[in-house]
Structure formats: structure tokens, C-alpha cells
Amino acid sequence: MSSSASVNRETFDNVMLPVYAPAAFVPVKGKGSRVWDQQGNEFIDFSGGIAVTALGHCHPALVNALKAQGEMIWHTSNLFTNEPALRLAQKLIDATFADRIFFANSGAEANEAAFKLARRYAIQRYHPDKTKIIAFNNAFHGRTLFTVSVGGQPKYSDGFGPKPADIVHVPFNDLAAVKAVIDDRTCAVVLEPVQGEGGITAVDADFLRGVRELCDKHRALLVFDEVQSGMGRTGSLFTYMQYGITPDILTSAKALGGGFPISAMLTTNEIADVMEPGVHGTTYGGNPLACAVAEAAFDVINTPEVLSGVRQRHQYIVAQLDAINQKYQAFSDVRGLGLLIGAQLQPKFQGKAREFLAAAVEQGLMVLNAGPDVIRFAPSLVITAEELVSGMQRFEKAVKAMVEKPS
Ligand SMILES: *Cc1c(COP(=O)(O)O)cnc(C)c1O
């Protein structure tokens, strides 16, 4: 590739705002769950672009949709609607609790819209003081000032001056803690059905049922951030479907576009009614190119074959992790749903998740962490058996190298 010679990983340190610490190699090409770097080294991808490339790299259905729409029309703005956006919205509505869709470009923007909607609904329908948002420790909802403040990780939200007010954090899966703070001034309870960035913690069914009841009692909206857990990731189209607890507002992003930036906020007619033209918006949201790719991704993901395949792949990965752990005792817990799996490191490896990632790269494997102590697996939902087997073998070698490494 001719462009490879002129830029490399060192260039990053000279030109990019230093908010990331990317791996030592630069990916240039991907196919399925394989990726190649500038030098032609091959990797198996268990990171999925952080649960984004749910159909692997360059899936033919997505490439075709991108090419076809690329020859039709790329952008119209929200002064004009477009066919791909209307089709995708209709499909999301047909498949979920929702009646109304708002498209944006990232998870943070979908959540920003959700939180603004929840506040506006409560203020318009009930009372100007009904603005309290209840959220959870270790939650992650994005990096805009509002969403990062609703997120439950002060290390991300501190240091930027005054935060949006009236946000309360309590421990996740602790119903008594929610009960203690919820009141008639609460406009919303916001949660991830599986906390992703916070360490791969699934919500307890009883807790979720209890929160739904508390929300109904206090006329607060229940908002599910399914940016990471949605679009097939846990084995159903959205994770709420497995719990049988329906939210009032749901956000989706990441896998929604399979790698093309797009997000969506889903809600009901009753709640959507408080919005009118001019109240909220975005230039790119619902862009035809993004919606065409997302529609193609949706058509592949929302099928029994893909969704049941997620559950089979989950079993294989967890069985392999158990077998690796019997040999090396590296993990104290393996948890998660579907293809969002976390392996908690033993105390002796505390804070070393990023070192495990680097060891995996040495073996030709891309994998994620979720905080300093959890290795996260978020591979493609359609990763092949051969890619899975090869990837787990590489992971075992990485674990062996870490265990045998002099500390
Ligand atoms: C990634 C993520 C976000 C933020 O999405 P961006 O596209 O990075 O803005 C929000 N919520 C959850 C649960 C996420 O995993």
C-alpha cells in the first residue's frame, strides 16, 4: 500500500490530540475477523472495534449497501427526509417497543437526546422541578459533558468545570439504593442492561423489575443505554428482550452501523409528543449513507441464524476461557452475555489488563479491556469457527506469556 510508508504509529504521537494510547501497529485492511497491519502481519480480531463491527470487516452486504447508496445520494440534511432513514426507522419500530426514532451519529449523541427528552417530558407533563436523573456507579454513557456526567466514573467527568446538575449515582444492581433516592422529582433512571466499559456486569432480573416498578410509581422514565449491548450483541436484537422488561427510551449505536457512524434513540408516541420542530436536532443524523449501511446490517443481524449463533459462540468462548484458566489461574471470574464477555483478572494481575492486550497483540490477537482489571471479548457476531479457534489459541499463548513473565 503506497500510503503506508509515509505515516506510521509514531506519526500518531506527533499529530493527534493525546487522548488515546493506541496499539503499536496500524491496521490497514480487514476481512471477516482478520486484520492486517502496515507490515502485512495478520491478526484475529476479538475487539470488533469495541463492539462495533458486529458483522466483521468489509461484510459484503454492508460493502454493497455503501457502494449502492454512494452512487445515489450521500447527504440531504434534515430539511429533507430520505428513503434509507425512513426504511431503517420502520424496521427498528417493527422489531421493538418503539413508535418513534431519532437518528444521530454516536452513542453519546443518542444518549444526549434521550436525557434531554426525559427532562423535557417530565417538565412539560408534570413539573418544572422534575429533573432528577438516577444513574449508576461505573456506568458509561459517552463523553459529552451531560452524558459523561450521567456516567458513573468521576475520572472521566472531573476536571471540566461545573457539571449538569441534578444527577444522582447509586450502586448498580442495588434496588434499595435506588429506592432511597427515587422520588416524584425523578425524571429518569438510566442504565446499561450490561455495563460495558464498567467491567461487563449484567443487570439482575429482579433488580430490573424492581426499577421498572419504582419508575412507574414515581412517573419516571426508564432509559436503557443499549449502545454496546444492543443489535444482537447479547443474543437477542436488544438485551431488554431477554429480560422481558421494556424501557421508555432506548439508545443504540456501535453495532447499529456495523462500523459506519450512526446512532438511534427509540421511544414511544406518548413521550415523543413533547417534541416539535426546532427543539432538538443534528446535521448528520439520519444521513442516507449511514442509514443504508445500518439497514443492511440490521437485515443480517436480526435473523434467527445470527442471533442463535451468538449464543453458541458464547458457549465456546466461555468453555475455552475455563480451560485456559484451569491451566493458568489467571481469572477470578468469567461473565457477560452473548458475545460481550469479561474475564476478571486475579488480584495478582491487578491493573494489568492493558498488558494482557499487548501480550495478545504479540500473538496476533486484538482483544479489549473493560477497565484496568477485566479482559473484554466483543468479536464479530458471525466470526467463523476457524477464526474463533485460532483466536482462542492465540489468547492462550498470551495468557501463558503473562503468567510466566517475571514480575
Ligand atoms: C460506547 C458507549 C457509549 C458512547 O458511544 P460513542 O459512540 O463513543 O459516543 C455510550 N454508552 C455505552 C453503553 C457505550 O458502550
Side-chain angles (χ1 to χ4, degrees), residues 5-287:
S6 51
V7 291
N8 56 36
R9 174 60 182 80
E10 269 86 70
T11 316
F12 179 93
D13 296 332
N14 297 324
V15 302
M16 293 297 186
L17 191 77
V19 292
Y20 309 119
F25 69 98
V26 180
V28 295
K29 187 178 158 59
K31 187 73 200 151
S33 289
R34 281 197 156 77
V35 166
W36 291 269
D37 72 5
Q38 289 181 307
Q39 285 71 39
N41 299 310
E42 177 229 79
F43 298 84
I44 297 280
D45 187 1
F46 281 0
S47 68
I50 315 189
V52 167
T53 49
L55 297 174
H57 298 279
C58 298
H59 188 286
L62 275 58
V63 171
N64 288 339
L66 185 69
K67 283 184 179 165
Q69 190 61 40
E71 301 283 353
M72 287 286 286
I73 191 164
W74 287 24
H75 183 75
T76 58
S77 88
N78 46 49
L79 295 172
F80 313 91
T81 190
N82 68 80
E83 291 181 349
L86 295 171
R87 284 197 303 264
L88 178 61
Q90 190 62 60
K91 285 181 180 179
L92 286 166
I93 287 167
D94 291 346
T96 66
F97 74 97
D99 313 307
R100 295 280 170 171
I101 309 292
F102 173 76
F103 288 121
N105 315 287
S106 66
E109 283 172 87
N111 284 330
E112 185 85 19
F115 306 160
K116 283 178 72 179
L117 176 59
R119 284 255 176 103
R120 187 176 168 90
Y121 176 78
I123 289 167
Q124 291 223 331
R125 284 280 190 279
Y126 301 111
H127 194 269
D129 287 342
K130 192 171 170 65
T131 52
K132 186 198 287 185
I133 293 176
I134 299 173
F136 295 93
N137 298 345
N138 293 319
F140 185 80
H141 300 300
R143 299 292 198 137
T144 65
L145 195 55
F146 196 1
T147 57
V148 86
S149 301
V150 175
Q153 303 190 52
K155 69 171 191 281
Y156 292 151
S157 55
D158 288 352
F160 299 100
K163 296 174 187 175
D166 218 6
I167 300 164
V168 182
H169 294 96
V170 294
F172 194 48
N173 280 331
D174 183 343
L175 192 60
V178 178
K179 215 175 238 165
V181 294
I182 198 167
D183 56 21
D184 290 344
R185 268 208 340 96
T186 304
C187 71
V189 178
V190 179
L191 63 86
E192 298 158 85
V194 184
Q195 282 195 339
E197 305 304 307
I200 315 300
T201 309
V203 72
D204 293 338
D206 289 343
F207 169 80
L208 199 56
R209 201 170 307 115
V211 169
R212 178 72 270 182
E213 283 166 12
L214 287 172
C215 283
D216 293 342
K217 183 173 162 207
H218 294 283
R219 299 177 179 215
L221 299 182
L222 182 54
V223 180
F224 287 174
D225 177 349
E226 292 231 34
V227 166
Q228 187 155 171
S229 65
M231 288 310 296
R233 177 60 46 193
T234 67
S236 51
L237 182 64
F238 289 102
T239 302
Y240 83 84
M241 295 167 172
Q242 292 173 52
Y243 286 85
I245 306 287
T246 305
D248 301 296
I249 301 177
L250 178 146
T251 55
S252 175
K254 292 207 162 97
L256 183 61
F260 201 101
I262 179 171
S263 65
M265 180 191 71
L266 288 63
T267 193
T268 62
N269 278 327
E270 147 76 8
I271 297 163
D273 266 357
V274 300
M275 291 309 223
E276 58 190 66
V279 170
H280 190 65
T282 148
T283 295
Y284 289 117
N287 167 291

Side-chain angles (χ1 to χ4, degrees), residues 305 307-317 339 388:
E305 307 85 76
L307 297 175
S308 65
V310 168
R311 297 190 280 273
Q312 287 158 11
R313 287 165 176 83
H314 169 93
Q315 281 164 6
Y316 176 77
I317 294 176
L339 287 174
L388 256 187

